[in-house]
Amino acid sequence: MKIFALLSLVSRVTAIWPAPQSFSNGSSAVWLAEDFLVTYNNHNLHKRTEETRSTRISSLEIVQAAVDRARKSIFTESFVPWKFYPRNEIDKFEPPANGKSKTYIRQLEITQTTPDNSATFKPLAGQVDETYNLTIGADGVASITAVSSTGVLHALETFKQLFYLHSVSGTAGVYCNLAPVNIRDGPKFGHRGVNLDVARNWFPKETILRTIDALSWNKFNRFHIHMTDAQSWPIDIPALPELSKKGAYQTGLSYTPQDIEDIQVYGIYRGVEVIIEIDIPGHTTAIGFSHPELITAFREKLWHNYCGEPPCGQLKLNSTAVYDFITQLFDDLLPRVSPYSAYFHTGGDEIDARDYVLDETVKSNDTAVLTPLIQKFIDHSHDLVRKAGLAPIVWEEMLLDWNLKLGDDVVVQTWINSASLDKVTARGHKALFGSNDFWYLACGHGQWFNFNDDTFAAHYPFNDFCSPLKNWRLMYSYDPTANLSAKQAALVLGGEVHLFTERSDPSNLDAIMWPRTGAAGEVMWSGRQDSSGKNRGQVDAARRLSDMRERMVIRGVKCEPIQMAYCTQYDGDCTW
Ligand SMILES: *[C@@H]1O[C@H](CO)[C@@H](O)[C@H](O)[C@H]1NC(C)=O
Ligand SMILES: *[C@@H]1O[C@H](CO)[C@@H](O)[C@H](O)[C@H]1NC(C)=O
Ligand SMILES: *[C@@H]1O[C@H](CO)[C@@H](O)[C@H](O)[C@H]1NC(C)=O
Ligand SMILES: *[C@@H]1O[C@H](CO)[C@@H](O)[C@H](O)[C@H]1NC(C)=O
Ligand SMILES: *[C@@H]1O[C@H](CO)[C@@H](O)[C@H](O)[C@H]1NC(C)=O
């Protein structure tokens, strides 16, 4: 019993998610004055109206917008934390509502110690110093220091999480009862991302933007959009308008160049770099709706013989027309992407050799024939990526299955299982982790095929390939670099959580993604181990993640609950 009591005490110290690298608190209450002044270096950031906002990429605009969001969030989206205290006892933990000598925070002083540079808003992994310090004195003096504006953004997310709504005072009363608070913080990994497949189901721009918001609250800094796949082509390419006109699920269900720019800029304003993937040469069936001549094994009826999932189809491998197509596509898209991103993902997963037997430009499935052709194709694609000033990312098969020679600038993204990271880094390549044994959000939702009388019995009870569901506790237990040498670990830029969307669309996106993805976010920001080297525990994490979940729900992201309210009220009772 004593241990549980101690743990529950410890767990109440902070509800910050992801956990800061260093945190200390007192137990004084400070209230936030509604008209609190924010200074940013020598600027006063007053409360602004909607109309005066800009989307120019400048440190001042970005910080000012983040301060606007923080004000709104704290005063209109804070919650009374009744779920986190024994029932009907919250008043014992809250500061008195009408104390005569309430201490107010009247000013938040933000100091950015070095100016941002051209890499700040489209960094390679590790190029931006994201660290920050945050202090709130018992006297109400509050300050943030950070090296970059990105660090300021993270600090403001933490700041928002320090306040609760008072059960009696109502909206006028938001308090922090942990002063003095001292936080020193910074991320373990420089690339902390989510990969969302927007090709298997259609996701309107608003859904994408909401997801970027949620990522920024959890201190993610990358949003990888798996833009195209076999099933649909939801992006307009002005040089090739027929692609989305015929390849989107419905004409109009596609992102315009303006949408793409809006999404990227929206991300930059939140410290989230948007990385676009056009998956080639496999997973390209959707191109065949407008350009059947470029695709081999297009919608082959006996799909088992040509791909892992229908519809089959790959770009032909030794075709001048395909090369011209890629050049046209990339020369249109990449210069529009590169002002706002350092990376471009060229895919490269699950190339099915069998398709090339049907490809009249190849007529072979022989690895010895195919490998040089794939090498040439990737070299061509990556030259175009580099010409646009971008660094290529590829899926692991390019290196591990096809043994291609990839440039030193190429980042290899693993997905097949957690052992792939060892293999990629052993070969000296920069790598991203996140695999279907820990971080695939789609797992466990069951099969999407329809089984007929012949196949019903063999597939009963219709589990999907990576069942069971990866619950947040499992995702939180993933220690990606655990088995790597120091030399290998140094090549790991970070990782991504994956959502391939055969079974999801905007209706269930939030619940599938959150708060589980937050658990992965803490692994990437705080690290699997705490500062004493111990693996972070679920008891502490559950309460903090539940607190974060409440904040996300109020802000409009419909996260699942992680426990019964009983467990957060009496958290010792729910420990096994
Ligand atoms: C930090 O906060 C917790 C939870 O409110 C409290 O129990 C603890 O006493 C605080 N620490 C100090 C040094 O006041
Ligand atoms: C945060 O505080 C530590 C310790 O005082 C200091 O070394 C570090 O430079 C500070 N970081 C920032 C971003 O101000
Ligand atoms: C690729 O196409 C060229 C030109 O048609 C042809 O000469 C060559 O044999 C083809 N290569 C393979 C491996 O089929
Ligand atoms: C190519 O196809 C033949 C005939 O189906 C098969 O025996 C062989 O294993 C295949 N080779 C590869 C590399 O897939
Ligand atoms: C590391 O090795 C242990 C022991 O073999 C294994 O259980 C664990 O899954 C491995 N972790 C990763 C991330 O590969």
mmCIF file with all atom_site columns, all heavy atoms in Angstrom, residues 48-61:
data_model
loop_
_atom_site.group_PDB
_atom_site.id
_atom_site.type_symbol
_atom_site.label_atom_id
_atom_site.label_alt_id
_atom_site.label_comp_id
_atom_site.label_asym_id
_atom_site.label_entity_id
_atom_site.label_seq_id
_atom_site.pdbx_PDB_ins_code
_atom_site.Cartn_x
_atom_site.Cartn_y
_atom_site.Cartn_z
_atom_site.occupancy
_atom_site.B_iso_or_equiv
_atom_site.pdbx_formal_charge
_atom_site.auth_seq_id
_atom_site.auth_comp_id
_atom_site.auth_asym_id
_atom_site.auth_atom_id
_atom_site.pdbx_PDB_model_num
ATOM 1   N N   . ARG A 1 48 ? -4.291  39.595 -30.270 1.00 0.00 ? 48 ARG A N   1
ATOM 2   C CA  . ARG A 1 48 ? -4.625  40.071 -31.611 1.00 0.00 ? 48 ARG A CA  1
ATOM 3   C C   . ARG A 1 48 ? -5.972  39.544 -32.056 1.00 0.00 ? 48 ARG A C   1
ATOM 4   O O   . ARG A 1 48 ? -6.479  38.557 -31.555 1.00 0.00 ? 48 ARG A O   1
ATOM 5   C CB  . ARG A 1 48 ? -3.577  39.567 -32.616 1.00 0.00 ? 48 ARG A CB  1
ATOM 6   C CG  . ARG A 1 48 ? -2.244  40.236 -32.470 1.00 0.00 ? 48 ARG A CG  1
ATOM 7   C CD  . ARG A 1 48 ? -1.363  39.897 -33.641 1.00 0.00 ? 48 ARG A CD  1
ATOM 8   N NE  . ARG A 1 48 ? -1.303  38.455 -33.866 1.00 0.00 ? 48 ARG A NE  1
ATOM 9   C CZ  . ARG A 1 48 ? -0.606  37.911 -34.861 1.00 0.00 ? 48 ARG A CZ  1
ATOM 10  N NH1 . ARG A 1 48 ? 0.047   38.663 -35.704 1.00 0.00 ? 48 ARG A NH1 1
ATOM 11  N NH2 . ARG A 1 48 ? -0.582  36.608 -35.007 1.00 0.00 ? 48 ARG A NH2 1
ATOM 12  N N   . THR A 1 49 ? -6.500  40.211 -33.061 1.00 0.00 ? 49 THR A N   1
ATOM 13  C CA  . THR A 1 49 ? -7.743  39.722 -33.645 1.00 0.00 ? 49 THR A CA  1
ATOM 14  C C   . THR A 1 49 ? -7.382  38.878 -34.856 1.00 0.00 ? 49 THR A C   1
ATOM 15  O O   . THR A 1 49 ? -6.277  38.969 -35.404 1.00 0.00 ? 49 THR A O   1
ATOM 16  C CB  . THR A 1 49 ? -8.617  40.896 -34.119 1.00 0.00 ? 49 THR A CB  1
ATOM 17  O OG1 . THR A 1 49 ? -7.834  41.687 -35.018 1.00 0.00 ? 49 THR A OG1 1
ATOM 18  C CG2 . THR A 1 49 ? -9.069  41.748 -32.957 1.00 0.00 ? 49 THR A CG2 1
ATOM 19  N N   . GLU A 1 50 ? -8.326  38.087 -35.273 1.00 0.00 ? 50 GLU A N   1
ATOM 20  C CA  . GLU A 1 50 ? -8.163  37.180 -36.406 1.00 0.00 ? 50 GLU A CA  1
ATOM 21  C C   . GLU A 1 50 ? -7.588  37.902 -37.637 1.00 0.00 ? 50 GLU A C   1
ATOM 22  O O   . GLU A 1 50 ? -6.669  37.421 -38.287 1.00 0.00 ? 50 GLU A O   1
ATOM 23  C CB  . GLU A 1 50 ? -9.527  36.592 -36.739 1.00 0.00 ? 50 GLU A CB  1
ATOM 24  C CG  . GLU A 1 50 ? -9.508  35.344 -37.575 1.00 0.00 ? 50 GLU A CG  1
ATOM 25  C CD  . GLU A 1 50 ? -9.262  34.094 -36.737 1.00 0.00 ? 50 GLU A CD  1
ATOM 26  O OE1 . GLU A 1 50 ? -9.859  33.971 -35.643 1.00 0.00 ? 50 GLU A OE1 1
ATOM 27  O OE2 . GLU A 1 50 ? -8.473  33.269 -37.182 1.00 0.00 ? 50 GLU A OE2 1
ATOM 28  N N   . GLU A 1 51 ? -8.137  39.105 -37.920 1.00 0.00 ? 51 GLU A N   1
ATOM 29  C CA  . GLU A 1 51 ? -7.830  39.800 -39.182 1.00 0.00 ? 51 GLU A CA  1
ATOM 30  C C   . GLU A 1 51 ? -6.369  40.239 -39.288 1.00 0.00 ? 51 GLU A C   1
ATOM 31  O O   . GLU A 1 51 ? -5.837  40.374 -40.388 1.00 0.00 ? 51 GLU A O   1
ATOM 32  C CB  . GLU A 1 51 ? -8.710  41.054 -39.358 1.00 0.00 ? 51 GLU A CB  1
ATOM 33  C CG  . GLU A 1 51 ? -10.210 40.822 -39.327 1.00 0.00 ? 51 GLU A CG  1
ATOM 34  C CD  . GLU A 1 51 ? -10.745 40.615 -37.919 1.00 0.00 ? 51 GLU A CD  1
ATOM 35  O OE1 . GLU A 1 51 ? -10.659 41.570 -37.131 1.00 0.00 ? 51 GLU A OE1 1
ATOM 36  O OE2 . GLU A 1 51 ? -11.214 39.519 -37.603 1.00 0.00 ? 51 GLU A OE2 1
ATOM 37  N N   . THR A 1 52 ? -5.736  40.457 -38.140 1.00 0.00 ? 52 THR A N   1
ATOM 38  C CA  . THR A 1 52 ? -4.380  40.988 -38.215 1.00 0.00 ? 52 THR A CA  1
ATOM 39  C C   . THR A 1 52 ? -3.334  39.882 -38.373 1.00 0.00 ? 52 THR A C   1
ATOM 40  O O   . THR A 1 52 ? -2.152  40.145 -38.439 1.00 0.00 ? 52 THR A O   1
ATOM 41  C CB  . THR A 1 52 ? -4.053  41.804 -36.949 1.00 0.00 ? 52 THR A CB  1
ATOM 42  O OG1 . THR A 1 52 ? -4.278  40.972 -35.814 1.00 0.00 ? 52 THR A OG1 1
ATOM 43  C CG2 . THR A 1 52 ? -4.904  43.046 -36.847 1.00 0.00 ? 52 THR A CG2 1
ATOM 44  N N   . ARG A 1 53 ? -3.799  38.632 -38.437 1.00 0.00 ? 53 ARG A N   1
ATOM 45  C CA  . ARG A 1 53 ? -2.817  37.548 -38.539 1.00 0.00 ? 53 ARG A CA  1
ATOM 46  C C   . ARG A 1 53 ? -2.274  37.408 -39.939 1.00 0.00 ? 53 ARG A C   1
ATOM 47  O O   . ARG A 1 53 ? -2.944  37.683 -40.926 1.00 0.00 ? 53 ARG A O   1
ATOM 48  C CB  . ARG A 1 53 ? -3.447  36.226 -38.097 1.00 0.00 ? 53 ARG A CB  1
ATOM 49  C CG  . ARG A 1 53 ? -3.630  36.255 -36.602 1.00 0.00 ? 53 ARG A CG  1
ATOM 50  C CD  . ARG A 1 53 ? -4.108  34.949 -36.050 1.00 0.00 ? 53 ARG A CD  1
ATOM 51  N NE  . ARG A 1 53 ? -4.689  35.241 -34.737 1.00 0.00 ? 53 ARG A NE  1
ATOM 52  C CZ  . ARG A 1 53 ? -5.740  34.651 -34.220 1.00 0.00 ? 53 ARG A CZ  1
ATOM 53  N NH1 . ARG A 1 53 ? -6.335  33.698 -34.890 1.00 0.00 ? 53 ARG A NH1 1
ATOM 54  N NH2 . ARG A 1 53 ? -6.175  34.992 -33.043 1.00 0.00 ? 53 ARG A NH2 1
ATOM 55  N N   . SER A 1 54 ? -1.018  36.940 -39.997 1.00 0.00 ? 54 SER A N   1
ATOM 56  C CA  . SER A 1 54 ? -0.362  36.785 -41.282 1.00 0.00 ? 54 SER A CA  1
ATOM 57  C C   . SER A 1 54 ? 0.087   35.327 -41.406 1.00 0.00 ? 54 SER A C   1
ATOM 58  O O   . SER A 1 54 ? 0.031   34.578 -40.438 1.00 0.00 ? 54 SER A O   1
ATOM 59  C CB  . SER A 1 54 ? 0.830   37.741 -41.315 1.00 0.00 ? 54 SER A CB  1
ATOM 60  O OG  . SER A 1 54 ? 1.908   37.191 -42.008 1.00 0.00 ? 54 SER A OG  1
ATOM 61  N N   . THR A 1 55 ? 0.463   34.909 -42.587 1.00 0.00 ? 55 THR A N   1
ATOM 62  C CA  . THR A 1 55 ? 1.028   33.566 -42.722 1.00 0.00 ? 55 THR A CA  1
ATOM 63  C C   . THR A 1 55 ? 2.435   33.663 -43.291 1.00 0.00 ? 55 THR A C   1
ATOM 64  O O   . THR A 1 55 ? 2.948   32.731 -43.882 1.00 0.00 ? 55 THR A O   1
ATOM 65  C CB  . THR A 1 55 ? 0.162   32.674 -43.641 1.00 0.00 ? 55 THR A CB  1
ATOM 66  O OG1 . THR A 1 55 ? -0.080  33.391 -44.852 1.00 0.00 ? 55 THR A OG1 1
ATOM 67  C CG2 . THR A 1 55 ? -1.142  32.315 -42.998 1.00 0.00 ? 55 THR A CG2 1
ATOM 68  N N   . ARG A 1 56 ? 3.027   34.842 -43.150 1.00 0.00 ? 56 ARG A N   1
ATOM 69  C CA  . ARG A 1 56 ? 4.405   35.010 -43.578 1.00 0.00 ? 56 ARG A CA  1
ATOM 70  C C   . ARG A 1 56 ? 5.301   34.144 -42.697 1.00 0.00 ? 56 ARG A C   1
ATOM 71  O O   . ARG A 1 56 ? 5.053   33.980 -41.516 1.00 0.00 ? 56 ARG A O   1
ATOM 72  C CB  . ARG A 1 56 ? 4.820   36.472 -43.418 1.00 0.00 ? 56 ARG A CB  1
ATOM 73  C CG  . ARG A 1 56 ? 5.394   37.109 -44.686 1.00 0.00 ? 56 ARG A CG  1
ATOM 74  C CD  . ARG A 1 56 ? 5.343   38.634 -44.631 1.00 0.00 ? 56 ARG A CD  1
ATOM 75  N NE  . ARG A 1 56 ? 5.498   39.179 -43.298 1.00 0.00 ? 56 ARG A NE  1
ATOM 76  C CZ  . ARG A 1 56 ? 6.675   39.424 -42.712 1.00 0.00 ? 56 ARG A CZ  1
ATOM 77  N NH1 . ARG A 1 56 ? 7.803   39.158 -43.329 1.00 0.00 ? 56 ARG A NH1 1
ATOM 78  N NH2 . ARG A 1 56 ? 6.720   39.943 -41.501 1.00 0.00 ? 56 ARG A NH2 1
ATOM 79  N N   . ILE A 1 57 ? 6.345   33.581 -43.304 1.00 0.00 ? 57 ILE A N   1
ATOM 80  C CA  . ILE A 1 57 ? 7.247   32.746 -42.520 1.00 0.00 ? 57 ILE A CA  1
ATOM 81  C C   . ILE A 1 57 ? 8.293   33.653 -41.885 1.00 0.00 ? 57 ILE A C   1
ATOM 82  O O   . ILE A 1 57 ? 9.291   34.001 -42.508 1.00 0.00 ? 57 ILE A O   1
ATOM 83  C CB  . ILE A 1 57 ? 7.955   31.710 -43.419 1.00 0.00 ? 57 ILE A CB  1
ATOM 84  C CG1 . ILE A 1 57 ? 6.961   30.960 -44.286 1.00 0.00 ? 57 ILE A CG1 1
ATOM 85  C CG2 . ILE A 1 57 ? 8.801   30.755 -42.567 1.00 0.00 ? 57 ILE A CG2 1
ATOM 86  C CD1 . ILE A 1 57 ? 6.294   29.807 -43.685 1.00 0.00 ? 57 ILE A CD1 1
ATOM 87  N N   . SER A 1 58 ? 8.042   34.071 -40.660 1.00 0.00 ? 58 SER A N   1
ATOM 88  C CA  . SER A 1 58 ? 9.058   34.817 -39.925 1.00 0.00 ? 58 SER A CA  1
ATOM 89  C C   . SER A 1 58 ? 8.962   34.393 -38.473 1.00 0.00 ? 58 SER A C   1
ATOM 90  O O   . SER A 1 58 ? 7.883   33.993 -38.002 1.00 0.00 ? 58 SER A O   1
ATOM 91  C CB  . SER A 1 58 ? 8.827   36.330 -40.058 1.00 0.00 ? 58 SER A CB  1
ATOM 92  O OG  . SER A 1 58 ? 7.840   36.758 -39.148 1.00 0.00 ? 58 SER A OG  1
ATOM 93  N N   . SER A 1 59 ? 10.058  34.494 -37.767 1.00 0.00 ? 59 SER A N   1
ATOM 94  C CA  . SER A 1 59 ? 10.083  34.046 -36.375 1.00 0.00 ? 59 SER A CA  1
ATOM 95  C C   . SER A 1 59 ? 9.024   34.790 -35.572 1.00 0.00 ? 59 SER A C   1
ATOM 96  O O   . SER A 1 59 ? 8.297   34.189 -34.777 1.00 0.00 ? 59 SER A O   1
ATOM 97  C CB  . SER A 1 59 ? 11.463  34.315 -35.766 1.00 0.00 ? 59 SER A CB  1
ATOM 98  O OG  . SER A 1 59 ? 12.459  33.817 -36.619 1.00 0.00 ? 59 SER A OG  1
ATOM 99  N N   . LEU A 1 60 ? 8.939   36.098 -35.802 1.00 0.00 ? 60 LEU A N   1
ATOM 100 C CA  . LEU A 1 60 ? 8.004   36.912 -35.026 1.00 0.00 ? 60 LEU A CA  1
ATOM 101 C C   . LEU A 1 60 ? 6.557   36.487 -35.275 1.00 0.00 ? 60 LEU A C   1
ATOM 102 O O   . LEU A 1 60 ? 5.776   36.308 -34.340 1.00 0.00 ? 60 LEU A O   1
ATOM 103 C CB  . LEU A 1 60 ? 8.201   38.401 -35.356 1.00 0.00 ? 60 LEU A CB  1
ATOM 104 C CG  . LEU A 1 60 ? 7.273   39.384 -34.634 1.00 0.00 ? 60 LEU A CG  1
ATOM 105 C CD1 . LEU A 1 60 ? 7.391   39.258 -33.118 1.00 0.00 ? 60 LEU A CD1 1
ATOM 106 C CD2 . LEU A 1 60 ? 7.566   40.821 -35.078 1.00 0.00 ? 60 LEU A CD2 1
ATOM 107 N N   . GLU A 1 61 ? 6.196   36.318 -36.555 1.00 0.00 ? 61 GLU A N   1
ATOM 108 C CA  . GLU A 1 61 ? 4.827   35.913 -36.885 1.00 0.00 ? 61 GLU A CA  1
ATOM 109 C C   . GLU A 1 61 ? 4.495   34.554 -36.273 1.00 0.00 ? 61 GLU A C   1
ATOM 110 O O   . GLU A 1 61 ? 3.394   34.323 -35.774 1.00 0.00 ? 61 GLU A O   1
ATOM 111 C CB  . GLU A 1 61 ? 4.632   35.850 -38.409 1.00 0.00 ? 61 GLU A CB  1
ATOM 112 C CG  . GLU A 1 61 ? 4.568   37.198 -39.100 1.00 0.00 ? 61 GLU A CG  1
ATOM 113 C CD  . GLU A 1 61 ? 3.378   38.050 -38.654 1.00 0.00 ? 61 GLU A CD  1
ATOM 114 O OE1 . GLU A 1 61 ? 2.376   37.475 -38.169 1.00 0.00 ? 61 GLU A OE1 1
ATOM 115 O OE2 . GLU A 1 61 ? 3.464   39.288 -38.767 1.00 0.00 ? 61 GLU A OE2 1
#
